[in-house]
Amino acid sequence: MRQTPSFLLLLLILSVIFIAVERVETRARIDSLNNPIVYEISTRPWLYQLSLKYGKTIRLNNIPMQEFQALKNLGVQYVWLMGMWQIGDYGRCRATDLDMRANSYAKNLPDYQMDDIIGSPYQVLQYTVNSDEIGSDSDLMQLKQQLNSMGLKLMLDFVPNHSAVDHPYVTNNISIYVQVDPSQPKPYDSYSYLPNGIAYGKDGYFPAWTDTAQFNYWNPQTRNYQLSNLFKVASYADGIRCDMAMLLLNSQIDRIWGSQLRNRGYNNPGVEFWQWAISQVKQKYPSVIFMAEVYWGLNEQLQSLGFDFTYDKDLYDLLTTRNNYQNIHNYLNNIELSYLQHSTHFVENHDQIRAVVNFGGVPRSIAACAISFSIPGMKFNFMGQWEGKQNQLVVQLRRSTNENVNGQSLQFYQTFIPIVSNFSSNPNAIYSFKPVTQSSQDSSVFAFHWRIPGESTSYLICINYSESRGSGAIVLDDVPNVNQNIILTDVLNGNTQYPRNAQQLRTDGLFVVLNSYQIQVFKYSSVNPSLKK
């Protein structure tokens, strides 16, 4: 139908209004794939703990399933069993280095014994289960089936950048590794190269990892070999966490190794390994998800190459910095929603210091977690985080210092994680980052909103990320359009009920006053939102 000029003008005005509203508050329906709750377990230390707890040797084939059921009951959907694979003997020996013992081990576990040193799980010899300490391949497959039957999914590691230095190919197939520049005379730099000229693994910014050998991804043979290993991992897993995934990008290989690779006749292949490999794996295992450990601002590139999730270290760093409210607001307001949906949000993992230490105490650490887990994307937890542990579990050790459980921390997670699961796992959930009015420009108050249309329910998460009291108002345009009170129930804090006038909520908003690092989660009956007149 032909439009009249006046009709076109009306459309233009409405479009401007719509755009203006969207700039203030972006709403989006969130796919449930993009909000899984993941719990990382350091496998060998965990099995050691369970053995002490149950008074017998625990391996994959006899883990008491109530341990997993407890996680499932709280809303966990993926269990990442970190450090599953066979590691090299040299790496075990290298882990007893005097410097490591004097610095890392003595600091984090003052009473460590030599038996506590188990070696890094990130110097993989082969992608078969570590039979000495964990179990067998068939045990792993059986465990996966058990987890799937109870509604849990299994995530496993893929360590693509390097192998253990005592991998058989280090001596009988050296071309799949990066080698010293042919112009370099012997003896080679022992901090960078093995005696035969194979490079130790590294990222180009820190010293080389001398228990590892660096793969050459500009060699097609290497790519095919690593694709076969990736298929092995996918055959056991529902999700794959890829260690230091950005190091396989051609730009990073060129930055670190390009000159010596070209001098040996290798050139940039053009096609990125991840784009090719993930596509191949997903043809056979379409439901397997890929998560990338990534830094240096390369997240979006890895997402474009097929990764379902990438580490959101940027938000972690913003939350770590004190009095950083405006930058956090800017990040959450300006970041693409599709990027958030495919990001992994965390306040702790095995590479970072404990959240309670990093954020300066339990109140700030759980407030940081509340912000991280109230946005779309993967919610990533690490063993010991919920209990408020302060001592890091070093990856080369089988235990950390014994600590008492922090009651405040555990109570928060045992209450908050199920709440997050209620809205983030719902495929119809609609997310928005709410403006907070009647507050200063650098407001420390953050408000996140999730609406579940099919259940006529909404959740409003309010967080004061400050040592000082914070306040502000949040307009709720999805409360029923009635002239009476409705009930907002704080489901995080004892189900306290707050009756508020519906029209006031729709116009002036819900006014909240929050103490230092206080968190409130309001649940209320809702309808489809409408613009105010």
Side-chain angles (χ1 to χ4, degrees), residues 509-528:
L510 173 68
F511 193 80
V512 295
V513 179
L514 301 171
N515 292 324
S516 172
Y517 301 115
Q518 185 178 354
I519 308 159
Q520 289 187 292
V521 181
F522 299 104
K523 180 181 179 181
Y524 61 93
S525 298
S526 59
V527 297
N528 289 333

Side-chain angles (χ1 to χ4, degrees), residues 434-492:
K434 287 282 191 180
V436 179
T437 61
Q438 303 178 40
S439 60
S440 60
Q441 181 65 26
D442 59 346
S443 172
S444 61
V445 176
F446 295 81
F448 306 90
H449 185 269
W450 290 81
R451 184 169 63 88
I452 307 175
E455 299 179 8
S456 299
T457 300
S458 288
Y459 293 85
L460 177 69
I461 305 99
C462 301
I463 303 134
N464 176 28
Y465 198 57
S466 170
E467 294 179 359
S468 304
R469 177 176 290 186
S471 62
I474 304 100
V475 172
L476 301 178
D477 59 356
D478 63 340
V479 299
N481 191 7
V482 295
N483 192 22
Q484 62 186 51
N485 283 349
I486 69 163
I487 301 297
L488 298 96
T489 302
D490 184 353
V491 292
L492 183 65

Side-chain angles (χ1 to χ4, degrees), residues 171-191:
T171 56
N172 62 31
N173 193 4
I174 65 173
S175 67
I176 74 167
Y177 294 100
V178 172
Q179 299 172 63
V180 68
D181 192 287
S183 65
Q184 292 293 315
K186 293 184 177 180
Y188 306 126
D189 176 9
S190 62
Y191 291 99

Side-chain angles (χ1 to χ4, degrees), residues 256-392:
I256 305 169
W257 308 109
S259 176
Q260 63 203 75
L261 288 176
R262 276 186 284 269
N263 289 341
R264 287 191 172 271
Y266 297 101
N267 293 297
N268 186 328
V271 176
E272 296 286 357
F273 171 79
W274 288 122
Q275 184 176 23
W276 169 70
I278 292 175
S279 174
Q280 293 287 313
V281 171
K282 289 212 170 189
Q283 287 182 28
K284 185 173 182 179
Y285 302 103
S287 62
V288 170
I289 64 171
F290 282 79
M291 175 173 70
E293 178 191 17
V294 55
Y295 311 105
W296 314 331
L298 296 169
N299 313 53
E300 287 187 88
Q301 184 178 0
L302 288 181
Q303 289 182 11
S304 73
L305 296 176
F307 275 95
D308 299 288
F309 302 98
T310 59
Y311 271 31
D312 188 3
K313 183 67 160 45
D314 292 335
L315 179 58
Y316 173 89
D317 290 339
L318 288 170
L319 291 168
T320 296
T321 304
R322 289 188 176 269
N323 303 317
N324 201 27
Y325 324 125
Q326 192 57 49
N327 287 331
I328 300 170
H329 275 287
N330 290 342
Y331 179 82
L332 295 173
N333 272 316
N334 298 325
I335 200 74
E336 289 289 335
L337 197 60
S338 61
Y339 174 82
L340 282 184
Q341 288 180 251
H342 293 280
S343 294
T344 297
H345 312 297
F346 59 88
V347 294
E348 185 176 311
N349 60 55
H350 69 266
D351 287 314
Q352 310 297 330
I353 62 176
R354 291 291 192 180
V356 172
V357 176
N358 181 65
F359 293 99
V362 169
R364 190 165 185 263
S365 72
I366 62 177
C369 180
I371 293 174
S372 299
F373 285 11
S374 294
I375 60 180
M378 179 180 285
K379 295 88 168 71
F380 175 21
N381 306 267
F382 180 49
M383 61 183 287
Q385 173 184 333
W386 295 357
E387 292 81 5
K389 287 200 170 186
Q390 300 184 49
N391 293 286
Q392 188 171 10

